[in-house]
Amino acid sequence: QAEKSATSGVTASANGGFPIAGYDELSVAEISGRLEALSEAQIKQVRDYEWRTKNRKSLMEQFDRKLNVVSSH
């Protein structure tokens, strides 16, 4: 049941303007290339979604690095 609600939450989120269109079909490199244009809040949204779904370590590290850079300014 938790999986169902996570999936429906993502659908609602995507319909509400998820920061990266077509996220689930993108490669790590494609996602990485789109991070520069995102705000801190959007990066957190994408990071949380990644954590709940594929949880790719390389992407999680990139999100954290971006958030550290944004936070330090």
Side-chain angles (χ1 to χ4, degrees):
Q1 191 175 14
E3 268 183 56
K4 262 188 192 170
S5 60
T7 304
S8 62
V10 167
T11 304
S13 179
N15 292 339
F18 190 72
I20 300 176
Y23 184 88
D24 290 324
E25 287 75 44
L26 299 177
S27 69
V28 169
E30 290 169 322
I31 293 167
S32 299
R34 288 169 167 79
L35 294 182
E36 289 296 325
L38 302 182
S39 69
E40 182 177 0
Q42 289 172 317
I43 293 171
K44 287 178 180 176
Q45 183 183 3
V46 174
R47 181 190 63 183
D48 291 347
Y49 175 70
E50 176 66 30
W51 179 75
R52 288 191 318 268
T53 57
K54 298 179 183 178
N55 199 18
R56 292 169 282 194
K57 185 178 179 191
S58 59
L59 275 176
M60 296 304 289
E61 288 171 352
Q62 284 186 55
F63 296 143
D64 289 340
R65 263 198 311 275
K66 287 281 180 208
L67 289 169
N68 287 336
V69 168
V70 171
S71 299
S72 66
H73 288 310

